[in-house]
């Protein structure tokens, strides 16, 4: 044999790892331990191995694209700063691995089959799915497509803490809501209302659960008159706060399950002449732009949304490039912390 | 020959139109005159012709998807209500024709070749491109991909009013800026500043041109000290207004080239203790949500952004389904009107 270009197999043998691990290092190294990655890179250098993108693409039949599917109408996706932050985290991680992000929105009245057909037709290498509602047809379509899939937030058919099901990245919604409510209790509030998101989403359910747990742990009973629904929008928060003031004028605190609804609640309270936090304390959830802009500045539960996006992309890359040297990827629940500002 | 299913050709002969026209009616009828569409539909009914989606897709090798490429980072796409409105118009029109919208963003530092590769690899049937900056590599990539393409806004290499070049849908930016500035002149303002968008975009250039034309027509010379740059963002508008107050404390009006910058200018004026419109009148451009929320409510140039999105999709559908019975599609410049509210 004449001198030929070194193969992937030669690099694997030289580094003492599997072919798949070399492949993953070459493809960006997601999920490969630092130490292993360095060993493989040393072997690549010593053998002067040149990965060939075009050849790789032929072998793997990859498209170089990942679909991000969000089951929400444009109006919500573009009015809630949660989504662009998440997308930034995802797109940076994908860009590091030279993958193109395609955003597909499924609004009310849209045909989910159209998205299913696109996913099944071989135009993408993987899927990230968001904002799933109960009975959503999209997860089944992702399964039918055979594509590696990671969910943003726990899918509706799993309980919090369950870990055997589909891969997802979630935030500690129960714990965060508990922190928010405990904080209001510690400030001496006793008639604490909650404004919830759409309860067909696990994030909204879990935050309501955390609120209930905190009240029960404090020996208080949950008064259903203090539970109002705001659908995660600013207008929803405004209307929910108005309903609460109407039903329970003696309300002395509100935990709004996201910052947008908290901002809406602040508007209603201002219009009603209630001083925040003196008359009514307000705590939100997210710690995105609206929290800092709010008047007064919002006390809220901080979640690192951009990092969650990055983690979703990383999990997906590990699904797309499985390695026998590594444990299979597992779902992640990210921690939260309370940021105390002026509103509560 | 035994009784067989009627063919597309049979429908074309029966209706007295071309095969392509029947195909376009079957595919939703974009760009087909009402009268012709009705005739074809009558023939379809009389012959009991059943279009077969799967067969059609095999013949045309279509993917059922259209890419919308926006050359802006997530932060801008998601903070300017212009984009979701446009996307709503586009996605509704595409949905009527059972086409899936894929959104691809190209932020600063992103590799445009990645988008070019995806477009060229046969994963979409057409492209809508937005927010092109001068020397943008994307239009050449669209051409190289051979895909039907429609631009949102006039591409940078064409002059206003030119019509032979690539298909686009634009708003009458020069005329709108002229309306805004004429309105301020009619209100007796003489030291009228302008806050511009990024001048490597034709929309920003054209609005500045309209401002200059209005001043010149009124016999005033353009004072370069009254020209400030705000990059189409709220923060940019705030900073530009501060610079204007610093350079020309006697400024008595501002034309901000979009509503977001006008909102920023209002903030700066309020912080500086200038009353609007008494001390300084402010006029914006867009007439989207920020205009209505502004304090005081914003006088602004109205453009129908959702309809522009719909028109872009319609032009693209006509490019994708050309008909010998129709004139080739032409670029569109949509009209504007001034909406007078409280700020100027």
């Amino acid at each position: 044999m004449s001198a030929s270009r070194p193969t992937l197999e030669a690099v694997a043998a030289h580094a003492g790892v599997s072919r798949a691990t070399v492949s993953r290092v070459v493809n960006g190294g997601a999920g490969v331990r630092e130490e292993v990655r360095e060993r493989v890179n040393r072997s690549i250098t010593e053998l002067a191995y040149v990965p060939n993108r075009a050849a790789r693409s032929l072998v793997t039949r990859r498209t170089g694209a990942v679909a991000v599917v969000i089951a929400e109408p444009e109006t919500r996706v573009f009015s809630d700063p949660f989504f662009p932050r998440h997308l930034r985290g995802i797109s940076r991680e994908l860009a590091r691995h030279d993958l193109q992000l395609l955003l597909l929105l499924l609004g009310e009245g849209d045909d989910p089959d159209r998205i299913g057909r696109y996913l099944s037709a071989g135009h993408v290498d993987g899927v990230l799915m968001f904002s799933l509602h109960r009975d959503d047809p999209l997860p089944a379509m992702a399964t039918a497509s055979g594509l590696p899939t990671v969910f943003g937030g726990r899918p509706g058919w799993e309980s919090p803490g369950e870990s055997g099901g589909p891969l997802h990245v979630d935030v500690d919604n129960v714990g965060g809501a508990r922190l928010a409510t405990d904080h209001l209790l510690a400030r001496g509030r006793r008639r604490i209302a909650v404004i919830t998101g759409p309860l067909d989403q696990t994030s909204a359910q879990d935050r309501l659960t955390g609120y209930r747990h905190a009240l029960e742990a404090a020996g208080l009973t949950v008064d259903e008159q203090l539970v109002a629904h705001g659908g995660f929008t600013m207008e929803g928060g405004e209307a929910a706060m108005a309903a609460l003031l109407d039903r329970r004028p003696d309300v002395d605190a509100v935990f709004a399950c996201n910052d947008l609804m908290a901002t809406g609640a602040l508007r209603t309270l201002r219009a009603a002449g209630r001083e925040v936090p003196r008359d009514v304390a307000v705590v939100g959830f997210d710690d995105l732009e609206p929290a800092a802009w709010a008047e007064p500045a919002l006390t809220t539960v901080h979640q690192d949304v951009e990092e969650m996006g990055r983690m979703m992309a990383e999990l997906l890359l590990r699904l797309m490039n499985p390695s026998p040297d590594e444990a299979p990827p597992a779902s992640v629940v990210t921690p939260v912390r309370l940021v105390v500002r002026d509103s509560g």
Side-chain angles (χ1 to χ4, degrees), chain A:
Chain A
M1 278 202 328
S2 63
S4 64
R5 284 174 49 180
T7 61
L8 194 75
E9 286 74 15
V11 176
H14 189 272
V17 298
S18 75
R19 203 178 168 289
T21 298
V22 176
S23 171
R24 283 168 72 198
V25 170
V26 165
N27 282 286
V32 179
R33 269 179 297 127
E34 188 60 29
E35 178 218 319
V36 175
R37 194 160 58 220
E38 275 175 19
R39 198 159 73 231
V40 171
N41 279 327
R42 268 199 306 275
S43 298
I44 286 175
T45 311
E46 285 181 31
L47 300 181
Y49 170 71
V50 181
N52 181 319
R53 169 177 305 282
R56 231 169 50 233
S57 157
L58 271 175
V59 168
T60 59
R61 296 185 182 281
R62 290 212 166 154
T63 65
V66 164
V68 174
V69 179
I70 306 184
E72 295 282 350
E74 304 93 11
T75 40
R76 236 216 92 204
V77 174
F78 283 85
S79 64
D80 191 335
F82 178 85
F83 292 107
R85 277 293 183 91
H86 234 306
L87 286 173
R88 202 186 316 167
I90 293 169
S91 68
R92 285 193 181 160
E93 183 69 12
L94 293 180
R96 286 209 318 125
H97 299 268
D98 202 22
L99 288 164
Q100 178 62 43
L101 186 162
L102 309 177
L103 182 58
L104 290 80
L105 304 184
L106 180 76
E108 268 179 73
D110 282 352
D111 177 10
D113 286 338
R114 199 164 52 228
I115 289 186
R117 284 197 301 273
Y118 196 77
L119 297 181
S120 296
H123 300 302
V124 297
D125 301 331
V127 187
L128 299 172
M129 279 200 178
F130 270 99
S131 218
L132 295 172
H133 299 258
R134 213 195 304 260
D135 302 327
D136 208 304
L138 287 171
M141 286 176 184
T143 307
S145 74
L147 290 168
T149 304
V150 175
F151 295 92
R154 193 179 81 253
W157 58 89
E158 285 194 75
S159 307
E162 236 179 271
S163 63
L167 269 191
H168 61 267
V169 174
D170 205 357
V171 65
D172 182 5
N173 287 304
V174 176
R178 174 92 198 240
L179 272 180
T181 315
D182 281 345
H183 170 76
L184 291 166
L185 287 165
R187 294 264 162 128
R189 308 295 165 136
R190 285 298 173 271
R191 293 173 301 283
I192 304 171
V194 63
I195 301 180
T196 75
L199 291 175
D200 62 347
Q201 294 187 9
T202 55
S203 57
Q205 282 171 33
D206 290 355
R207 292 175 197 180
L208 180 58
T209 300
Y211 161 85
R212 290 185 191 276
H213 285 181
L215 292 186
E216 285 158 10
L220 298 171
T221 50
V222 175
D223 176 351
E224 295 303 328
Q225 284 208 307
L226 287 172
V227 179
H229 305 292
F232 278 157
T233 68
M234 189 187 293
E235 296 71 26
E238 271 186 273
M241 190 69 240
L244 288 168
L245 285 176
D246 195 47
R247 290 205 294 263
R248 289 292 304 265
D250 61 338
V251 59
D252 64 5
V254 183
F255 165 49
C257 291
N258 76 353
D259 287 352
L260 274 183
M261 296 193 297
T263 312
L266 288 175
R267 278 194 188 188
T268 296
L269 289 167
R270 190 161 45 238
R274 305 288 181 110
E275 204 176 297
V276 175
R278 196 195 61 188
D279 303 331
V280 183
V282 178
V283 176
F285 198 116
D286 278 347
D287 198 25
L288 295 171
E289 290 81 354
W293 296 344
E295 233 339 273
L298 198 64
T299 293
T300 190
V301 178
H302 177 88
Q303 56 171 330
D304 191 344
V305 176
E306 194 167 330
E307 171 63 10
M308 288 166 68
R310 197 197 60 72
M311 283 177 163
M312 283 180 73
E314 192 190 305
L315 284 183
L316 185 67
L317 285 159
R318 291 179 62 188
L319 276 185
M320 286 162 51
N321 306 289
S323 157
D325 301 337
E326 306 277 333
S331 292
V332 176
V333 177
T334 61
V336 293
R337 65 174 201 275
L338 189 73
V339 179
V340 179
R341 297 200 183 91
D342 305 328
S343 68

